[in-house]
């Protein structure tokens, strides 16, 4: 994969980053001059510095608590997983597979939603033909480079099921497809195909699947086979993809989302 830095000829077209910003939420990924990165931490620090991860898990516990340590650890993990997965999948839909070293991806703590920036060298390659090729590149650049060390770091600090954390990662993939299909319906088929190929590969295999409730509409939703434990927080509830939801509630939520894509 071609290594690129801001301003080099290998940098993905600026329209890719604009497209990510247009999706909002967890998707935005902003190239940032390293000189302006004060107060930020790299994901490499997150994976390798226990105190930093402990602080984020404690912040989540304070925000949603009192909760069991495994609940705050899972919710913190899911937030980071969504931040990693969403721009990666959307960039692939825009035609570019990004391969960002953990040291080049920065984030800032202390807010409800983790935000992130690019500062440093990273790889970029054109999406290969077929969903399988794109999924394999994402397995290498996203799952192995980021999601695996993220899960290992969390499990080194809190006793929480490895399968639950991989379920969070699969849910992050499904959540990204849902938002893409709602906000960029022209990308829905591509996102669903790549995501399906990705979640059929180990270690995500068997942890959930995408659903298209209405064949005449592009919208996709995810049903996971585990639970992130958010419902155990005092003000928590069952997420839209939760395995604990009954089918009627799930269907009503899907209809509501399709009726109002801004939700």
């Amino acid at each position: 994969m071609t290594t690129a830095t801001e301003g080099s000829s290998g940098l993905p077209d600026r329209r890719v980053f604009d497209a990510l910003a247009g999706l909002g939420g967890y998707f935005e990924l902003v190239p940032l001059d390293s000189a302006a990165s004060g107060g930020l931490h790299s994901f490499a620090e997150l994976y390798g510095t226990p105190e930093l991860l402990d602080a984020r898990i404690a912040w989540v516990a304070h925000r949603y608590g009192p909760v069991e340590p495994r609940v705050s650890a899972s919710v913190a993990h899911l937030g980071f997983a969504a931040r990693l997965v969403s721009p990666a999948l959307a960039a692939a839909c825009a035609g570019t597979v990004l391969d960002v070293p953990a040291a080049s991806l920065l984030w800032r703590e202390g807010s409800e939603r983790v935000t992130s920036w690019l500062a440093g060298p990273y790889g970029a390659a054109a999406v290969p033909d077929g969903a399988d090729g794109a999924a394999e590149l994402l397995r290498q650049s996203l799952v192995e480079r980021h999601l695996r060390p993220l899960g290992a770091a969390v499990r080194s600090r809190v006793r929480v099921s490895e399968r639950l954390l991989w379920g969070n990662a699969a849910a992050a993939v499904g959540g990204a497809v849902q938002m893409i299909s709602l906000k960029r319906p022209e990308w829905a088929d591509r996102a669903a195909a790549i995501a399906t190929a990705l979640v059929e590969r180990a270690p995500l295999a068997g942890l959930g699947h995408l659903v298209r409730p209405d064949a005449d509409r592009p919208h996709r939703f995810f049903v996971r086979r585990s639970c992130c434990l958010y419902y155990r927080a005092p003000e928590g509830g069952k997420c839209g993809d939760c395995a604990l939801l009954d089918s009627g509630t799930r269907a009503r939520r899907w209809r509501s989302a399709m009726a109002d894509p801004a939700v």
Side-chain angles (χ1 to χ4, degrees):
M1 198 173 282
T2 302
T3 298
T5 56
E6 175 95 32
S8 74
S9 59
L11 184 72
D13 192 295
R14 180 69 213 189
R15 286 174 294 182
V16 172
F17 293 107
D18 291 341
L20 297 181
L23 285 165
Y26 290 98
F27 290 87
E28 188 172 16
L29 191 58
V30 182
L32 179 73
D33 188 301
S34 59
S37 60
L40 303 177
H41 303 287
S42 73
F43 274 74
E45 292 176 278
L46 178 69
Y47 306 154
T49 307
E51 296 79 10
L52 188 59
L53 182 57
D54 288 348
R56 182 62 186 179
I57 293 173
W59 186 93
V60 172
H62 177 75
R63 168 64 179 84
Y64 295 105
V67 295
E68 305 163 69
R70 67 188 182 117
V71 176
S72 55
S74 175
V75 173
H77 173 271
L78 182 54
F80 283 121
R83 167 49 69 183
L84 291 164
V85 167
S86 299
L89 182 60
C93 291
T96 299
V97 175
L98 298 174
D99 186 6
V100 183
S104 296
L105 188 62
L106 308 181
W107 65 284
R108 177 176 287 130
E109 64 174 339
S111 63
E112 185 75 17
R113 177 176 290 152
V114 172
T115 54
S116 62
W117 296 263
L118 275 173
Y122 58 91
V127 174
D129 292 335
D132 283 341
E136 178 57 25
L137 287 180
L138 285 174
R139 187 193 65 78
Q140 298 169 26
S141 63
L142 174 64
V143 177
E144 298 301 328
R145 187 186 280 270
H146 289 285
L147 296 177
R148 189 176 294 282
L150 172 64
V154 171
R155 294 186 71 238
S156 74
R157 308 309 296 163
V158 178
R159 187 175 181 180
V160 59
S161 164
E162 183 178 13
R163 186 176 186 275
L164 183 154
L165 297 184
W166 282 122
N168 284 353
V173 175
V177 176
Q178 176 179 333
M179 292 309 300
I180 290 169
S181 71
L182 291 170
K183 295 193 172 186
R184 292 293 297 261
E186 72 277 16
W187 286 357
D189 290 346
R190 185 183 305 176
I194 295 172
T196 296
L198 185 60
V199 299
E200 287 178 348
R201 286 168 162 75
L204 304 181
L207 296 176
H209 63 280
L210 287 166
V211 177
R212 187 178 188 177
D214 186 341
D216 294 326
R217 306 182 74 174
H219 309 118
R220 267 75 163 187
F221 301 91
F222 193 71
V223 179
R224 63 183 289 176
R225 294 185 178 176
S226 60
C227 173
C228 70
L229 304 178
Y230 176 62
Y231 80 99
R232 297 179 69 88
E235 298 181 6
K238 295 173 185 175
C239 305
D241 61 0
C242 185
L244 302 179
L245 278 183
D246 64 85
S247 58
T249 300
R250 182 178 289 119
R252 287 193 295 274
R253 291 190 180 189
W254 289 346
R255 288 194 296 270
S256 177
M258 289 188 289
D260 185 5
V263 173

